[in-house]
Amino acid sequence: MNTEFGRYRPLIEAVATQHGLPPLLVAAVAQRESAFKADAFRHEPQFWVRYMKSSPQYHHLHPRRYASSYGLMQPMWVVAVEEGLDQARPPEVLFVPEESLEYGCRRLRKCLDWAKQFVGASEKEALLSGLAAYNGGRNAANKPPNPRNIAYALRVWQHMIELGKVA
């Protein structure tokens, strides 16, 4: 078993269950996003350019800190704020495993619920569409699937299968 998965497994199970998510799904997202590294960091400069730079509310923020993904589930600060994080808190708080999992699970739950609302989608299609939305937002049509991020979703699916074998 991946030792990092084992280290965070009880916490992943607790937070996932609190949000009505399968713990293996949350673990698979954490594996894909950070390889279970709580200190994982990914700067996303194009996010700053596309979504934050032109907004006056973000002008005082440092792009490298605020347009980056943090921690186990790699939520961005802006996403965490949308999910309830006090915007006075710094983005680095997302390095704390409980924080990254909390705000990552909140967003994942919303993405999955969004994908499930579309009639005709199988359970797997809804899951994959929700995962694609978690990774890169909803598509321009605002309905699944989001083909731009389906490769990500399929990799998470594969991680779920692999983690299920060691669970």
Side-chain angles (χ1 to χ4, degrees):
M1 173 167 59
N2 180 312
T3 57
E4 293 299 318
F5 172 46
R7 177 179 179 190
Y8 293 111
R9 186 175 182 166
L11 181 60
I12 289 169
E13 289 175 348
V15 178
T17 301
Q18 178 183 355
H19 291 281
L21 296 167
L24 279 178
L25 174 62
V26 173
V29 170
Q31 181 175 1
R32 180 72 200 136
E33 291 288 348
S34 69
F36 299 108
K37 304 293 184 202
D39 63 349
F41 173 85
R42 182 177 62 245
H43 179 52
E44 301 184 31
Q46 287 306 308
F47 187 86
W48 177 266
V49 171
R50 276 193 234 152
Y51 303 107
M52 297 178 78
K53 185 177 182 179
S54 63
S55 180
Q57 68 181 349
Y58 301 129
H59 283 181
H60 68 287
L61 301 178
H62 188 280
R64 183 157 174 82
R65 287 180 64 211
Y66 289 88
S68 298
S69 299
Y70 289 86
L72 289 174
M73 288 185 75
Q74 291 286 287
M76 297 182 79
W77 176 82
V78 171
V79 169
V81 167
E82 288 174 2
E83 298 304 333
L85 177 69
D86 180 348
Q87 65 183 356
R89 296 181 75 194
E92 293 82 8
V93 72
L94 297 168
F95 280 133
V96 176
E98 293 84 353
E99 300 285 343
S100 178
L101 287 167
E102 176 63 28
Y103 294 105
C105 283
R106 287 183 186 192
R107 177 51 59 107
L108 182 58
R109 174 82 271 154
K110 283 185 180 175
C111 290
L112 293 173
D113 290 345
W114 166 79
K116 284 180 187 175
Q117 72 180 323
F118 295 94
V119 178
S122 71
E123 190 173 322
K124 183 178 179 182
E125 288 171 325
L127 176 66
L128 293 175
S129 292
L131 286 167
Y134 179 84
N135 178 249
R138 300 172 186 170
N139 61 16
N142 197 26
K143 65 179 188 174
N146 182 349
R148 181 179 62 143
N149 298 86
I150 208 69
Y152 166 89
L154 290 169
R155 286 191 295 270
V156 172
W157 179 268
Q158 186 61 42
H159 290 318
M160 272 182 42
I161 292 168
E162 292 165 3
L163 290 168
K165 291 177 182 174
V166 298

